[in-house]
Amino acid sequence: MKRVTINAYQLGLVFKNGVYKRMLAEGSYWLMPADTVRIYDTTAPFETAYELNILLQDEALAARLHVVEVKEDEIVLQYENGLLKQVLTTGRHVFWKGIVQYKFVRAGLNKVQITENLDRTTLQHRLVAPYVRTFSVESYERAVLFIDGKYAQTLAGGVYYFWRNHIPILIGKVDTRQLQTELNGQEILTKDKAALRINAWAQYRVTDIEKAILQHKEYDKQLYILFQLALREYVAGLGLDELLEKKDTLAPFILQAVSDKAAGLGVQVTGFGIRDIILPGEMKDIMNQVLVAEKKAQANTIMRREETASTRSLLNTAKLMEDNPMLWKLKEMEYVEKIAEKISSISVSGSGVLVDQLRQIFTPQK
């Protein structure tokens, strides 16, 4: 006989010639020499090299064990005393009941949506994260969710979690802020066959993501084509001079022409403008010559107008002086004063009063 002692928080399994016989709880026991005892710490997971199904036939032993069976399409989150300890995968896992408080949360991976009561902290835990797909949608974005190639739902801003499995998931995002597209280098012929290169811009906002993503492929490229065609339609219907004169009416025409069609794309057009209208080199020289000629003609017109006004003023002054001798004399004195300012000295000789002598000097003899 041999004596075996099982301490607190321990259990012993008795085997005879390799065959399981019974379980020993805390205490001291006398065993036959052919009996062997394997002692287990009940605060640690149960591990054994013996066939578990045979051991579990002992109801007393089975009552002291947690047996967790995990299928291929699921995982089990193992908590010890309220803390996540590990993630159990496919297989059979056994733990002792007693001192350590175990909790097991089973999650099926054969679906996409996470229906289990798991908070964000758990889903982001380093042990769980490899089994989770995470998608972020910004507050200024909207997204459409495709599961297994089929439209599932429209997502607002936020963080979304899905189980990682063989089912494909695709998220298409759209920026709902005001966006801008550039229409640069648009080469267009006017009605009178003048070749122009136009640079323009357009602003828009996506208002219906389901139309934009589900019903149309590359809605932004289609919108670009709408603007391009509307711009060509407008420019091709006007001559060069008329186009330059009506440049301010171009933007309203484009907005009106594109708005309804853009709404069918799920887009609201908010603005359009022309940045540059570039003429060919030869056309630019001709326009410069025309501009110079127009400015010269305007200058000549202004000069002739001023000359006419000056002549008319002189004529009016002459008529007044002819009808008013006193005005004539005042005018004489004015000129005499101007001349005197430029003469340092004047010598007067002969008889007669001074004014008569000056009149003889400055007034031509008839």
Side-chain angles (χ1 to χ4, degrees):
M1 300 290 288
K2 59 182 178 181
R3 185 180 180 85
V4 175
T5 300
I6 306 299
N7 297 322
Y9 313 122
Q10 290 182 336
L11 286 174
L13 301 184
V14 179
F15 296 87
K16 184 176 182 180
N17 298 325
V19 179
Y20 173 71
K21 292 299 183 179
R22 59 194 174 98
M23 178 187 72
L24 302 179
E26 179 183 353
S28 295
Y29 302 90
W30 290 96
L31 300 178
M32 299 298 292
D35 293 338
T36 59
V37 178
R38 182 167 183 179
I39 299 175
Y40 291 88
D41 183 355
T42 58
T43 63
F46 176 79
E47 295 180 359
T48 180
Y50 297 96
E51 174 58 42
L52 184 61
N53 290 326
I54 296 176
L55 298 179
L56 292 177
Q57 291 179 358
D58 183 355
E59 295 182 358
L61 176 60
R64 302 296 298 268
L65 295 173
H66 291 290
V67 180
V68 182
E69 295 188 2
V70 184
K71 299 178 181 179
E72 293 184 355
D73 57 355
E74 63 183 6
I75 58 173
V76 173
L77 279 60
Q78 174 208 338
Y79 292 83
E80 293 184 8
N81 298 323
L83 300 177
L84 180 61
K85 187 68 174 180
Q86 63 177 323
V87 176
L88 307 179
T89 56
T90 305
R92 179 181 285 180
H93 307 268
V94 184
F95 305 87
W96 291 108
K97 294 180 181 178
I99 301 302
V100 180
Q101 298 299 317
Y102 290 102
K103 178 183 176 183
F104 304 96
V105 177
R106 192 176 300 273
L109 300 182
N110 57 351
K111 61 185 185 307
V112 170
Q113 300 290 347
I114 300 177
T115 57
E116 293 76 13
N117 187 21
L118 301 175
D119 58 24
R120 178 178 295 186
T121 302
T122 301
L123 295 174
Q124 293 177 343
H125 194 282
R126 61 179 182 82
L127 296 175
V128 183
Y131 302 95
V132 177
R133 287 181 278 201
T134 304
F135 296 94
S136 296
V137 181
E138 301 297 335
S139 59
Y140 53 82
E141 293 179 327
R142 293 292 181 273
V144 288
L145 172 64
F146 297 90
I147 298 178
D148 206 6
K150 300 177 181 179
Y151 168 74
Q153 66 182 108
T154 299
L155 306 178
V159 180
Y160 298 86
Y161 301 92
F162 305 96
W163 288 124
R164 187 184 300 276
N165 51 30
H166 63 280
I167 302 175
I169 294 179
L170 175 64
I171 284 186
K173 299 180 182 180
V174 168
D175 194 327
T176 59
R177 295 175 295 183
Q178 179 168 283
L179 305 175
Q180 181 163 313
T181 184
E182 299 290 335
L183 292 88
N184 293 327
Q186 300 295 315
E187 297 185 357
I188 308 174
L189 288 176
T190 62
K191 187 176 181 180
D192 51 5
K193 308 304 179 184
L196 304 179
R197 189 165 70 250
I198 297 178
N199 296 327
W201 55 268
Q203 294 176 333
Y204 64 95
R205 179 181 288 108
V206 178
T207 56
D208 191 332
I209 184 175
E210 294 182 12
K211 281 186 178 180
I213 298 295
L214 300 181
Q215 300 179 17
H216 299 89
K217 181 180 180 180
E218 298 179 333
Y219 70 91
D220 50 342
K221 292 185 179 180
Q222 295 188 43
L223 182 64
Y224 180 92
I225 296 298
L226 291 178
F227 279 113
Q228 187 182 54
L229 294 178
L231 180 61
R232 291 179 178 274
E233 178 185 354
Y234 182 88
V235 173
L238 299 175
L240 178 59
D241 294 337
E242 189 178 5
L243 174 63
L244 297 177
E245 291 177 2
K246 296 183 177 180
K247 184 173 61 176
D248 295 338
T249 64
L250 191 152
F253 175 87
I254 299 298
L255 289 176
Q256 183 177 2
V258 173
S259 294
D260 291 342
K261 296 179 181 178
L265 296 173
V267 175
Q268 177 188 4
V269 178
T270 57
F272 182 85
I274 296 296
R275 184 173 287 113
D276 302 299
I277 297 179
I278 304 172
L279 302 174
E282 296 179 357
M283 183 65 70
K284 189 182 300 184
D285 294 338
I286 294 173
M287 293 295 293
N288 288 336
Q289 293 175 8
V290 171
L291 180 60
V292 171
E294 289 179 351
K295 294 303 179 182
K296 286 183 177 180
Q298 292 177 4
N300 290 333
T301 301
I302 293 172
M303 291 176 61
R304 287 193 298 270
R305 187 186 307 122
E306 293 300 323
E307 290 175 356
T308 301
S310 177
T311 303
R312 185 179 296 110
S313 177
L314 289 174
L315 179 60
N316 292 336
T317 302
K319 289 182 178 180
L320 290 173
M321 293 172 62
E322 183 180 5
D323 297 337
N324 193 334
M326 182 60 69
L327 182 59
W328 174 268
K329 291 182 179 181
L330 289 174
K331 197 67 175 177
E332 282 184 343
M333 295 301 297
E334 181 181 343
Y335 280 104
V336 168
E337 181 181 4
K338 291 181 179 179
I339 294 173
E341 289 177 354
K342 299 180 181 181
I343 298 175
S344 59
S345 63
I346 299 175
S347 299
V348 180
S349 60
S351 60
V353 296
L354 180 60
V355 175
D356 294 334
Q357 292 178 356
L358 291 174
R359 184 182 294 114
Q360 292 175 4
I361 295 173
F362 297 109
T363 303
Q365 299 296 323
K366 296 183 181 179

